[in-house]
Amino acid sequence: MRLATRHGRAHLVTDQGFVDVSAASHGRFSHRVIDLLTQLDEVGTWWDEVHHEVTEELVADPALDAGLGPVVDQPSQIFAVGLNYHEHAREMGLPSPTTPMIFTKFVSSLAGTGSPIPRVSDSVDWESELVVVIGRGGRHLTPETALDAVAGYCVGQDVSDRELQMAASPPQFSLGKSWPNFTVTGPWITTRDEVGDPQNLGIRCDVSEVTFQNSTTRDMVFTVAEVVSYLSRVVELRPGDLIFTGSPEGVGQGQKPPRFLDEGDIVDTRIEKLGSIRNTVVAPF
Ligand code: ZN
């Protein structure tokens, strides 16, 4: 199942188009994606029963992705993992970490596909990332059971202002990655059952039609299950929480010479089975 937030309301993404879950279920289900993440089985069963009855005015062509926002618009927490791909650590001149390096991205920086990225400095960089969307959540999850707490996955872009990130010592990752629209998620959540193994997905980023990142989640240092388990030993993971699981190699800072984003650049981020998001870089606003 695929779940989108479109014009602020939860939509199923079906072969026939977008379906407003609350409207089509006559209010049985919430209009907020965050409320549906712990009811995925019920929503799936309902859709199996009614999909042939849904009238045409409830659907629109998924190719017309206007109105898609961040997949969850009010998560309580957004986590991110630094240096979680071996080849990315290498391009940054650092060893692969032996403990997950966790930081946050602030909720006010969330954006969806199509949202403009402000060029706030001369060193705005891209990081394409697999994003975990927490379903049931919880505490003290083991790596063996951690994925049961996950609702699904989406494509993420962890936009990073390297200048602000490195302005303090030690670096202030969270602030440098939380300018407006620096936390892009989309185009929708694909549920875990449709994705299968999260450690076997191609991940790619093109900037203005040049491919800079082209890797696979097999290169992660800590697996999705290990990251979810690690976090849950400290914090309570809640429905709708997002985890950016790190960027593969090929960020702008890793180029020789470094290549950062310019106004007019188009950042196209895509992950196998999950779709793609597309954001244009603009003057600061
Ligand atoms: Zn990142």
Side-chain angles (χ1 to χ4, degrees):
M1 202 161 54
R2 294 174 292 172
L3 269 179
T5 294
R6 186 164 172 267
H7 301 304
R9 296 178 62 87
H11 284 71
L12 280 181
V13 187
T14 75
D15 293 340
Q16 301 104 300
F18 291 105
V19 178
D20 184 317
V21 176
S22 182
S25 68
H26 308 290
R28 175 179 165 193
F29 294 109
S30 169
H31 69 279
R32 300 179 70 218
V33 165
I34 198 167
D35 298 329
L36 304 181
L37 296 175
T38 49
Q39 300 182 294
L40 294 174
D41 289 347
E42 291 94 319
V43 174
T45 303
W46 161 77
W47 180 244
D48 283 345
E49 288 167 3
V50 304
H51 69 274
H52 54 278
E53 299 164 11
V54 171
T55 56
E56 273 186 27
E57 56 266 35
L58 290 171
V59 303
D61 185 350
L64 304 170
D65 61 5
L68 288 175
V71 297
V72 177
D73 48 16
Q74 294 285 328
S76 58
Q77 306 175 95
I78 307 172
F79 305 96
V81 191
L83 297 177
N84 199 31
Y85 281 73
H86 292 286
E87 287 299 322
H88 175 55
R90 188 184 311 204
E91 78 176 334
M92 303 306 266
L94 297 165
S96 294
T98 52
T99 301
M101 200 284 270
I102 306 295
F103 58 96
T104 69
K105 285 171 75 71
F106 298 116
V107 174
S108 58
S109 62
L110 274 173
T113 185
S115 296
I117 296 170
R119 186 181 180 279
V120 294
S121 78
D122 293 335
S123 60
V124 176
D125 205 347
W126 59 85
E127 295 191 355
S128 55
E129 307 204 7
L130 173 69
V131 175
V132 175
V133 183
I134 297 295
R136 192 178 71 210
R139 287 185 188 271
H140 308 301
L141 307 166
T142 64
E144 292 71 32
T145 61
L147 294 185
D148 295 340
V150 170
Y153 306 95
C154 70
V155 180
Q157 181 54 241
D158 175 19
V159 187
S160 304
D161 174 6
R162 302 297 184 200
E163 193 177 308
L164 180 56
Q165 181 182 345
M166 302 301 176
S169 181
Q172 47 187 1
F173 279 63
S174 297
L175 205 55
K177 291 162 174 273
S178 289
W179 287 98
N181 293 357
F182 269 34
T183 302
V184 190
T185 62
W188 40 66
I189 298 163
T190 302
T191 52
R192 195 160 51 93
D193 55 304
E194 291 197 9
V195 177
D197 182 4
Q199 307 308 141
N200 193 25
L201 301 171
I203 177 168
R204 172 172 161 167
C205 184
D206 292 359
V207 178
S208 297
E209 297 184 351
V210 177
T211 302
F212 283 93
Q213 297 189 287
N214 194 0
S215 182
T216 151
T217 56
R218 283 192 297 275
D219 190 44
M220 280 188 192
V221 178
F222 300 100
T223 65
V224 168
E226 287 168 339
V227 169
V228 171
S229 168
Y230 182 77
L231 285 168
S232 77
R233 285 191 243 155
V234 181
V235 298
E236 178 190 359
L237 296 175
R238 299 172 174 171
D241 283 353
L242 304 174
I243 306 170
F244 280 68
T245 57
S247 171
E249 81 276 16
V251 302
Q253 192 172 12
Q255 308 301 310
K256 293 180 179 53
R259 193 293 197 200
F260 296 114
L261 291 170
D262 287 319
E263 285 175 32
D265 272 337
I266 295 168
V267 182
D268 184 298
T269 313
R270 55 189 61 225
I271 297 179
E272 192 179 350
K273 298 186 182 178
L274 305 184
S276 66
I277 56 179
R278 195 175 162 88
N279 300 83
T280 302
V281 181
V282 302
F285 51 81

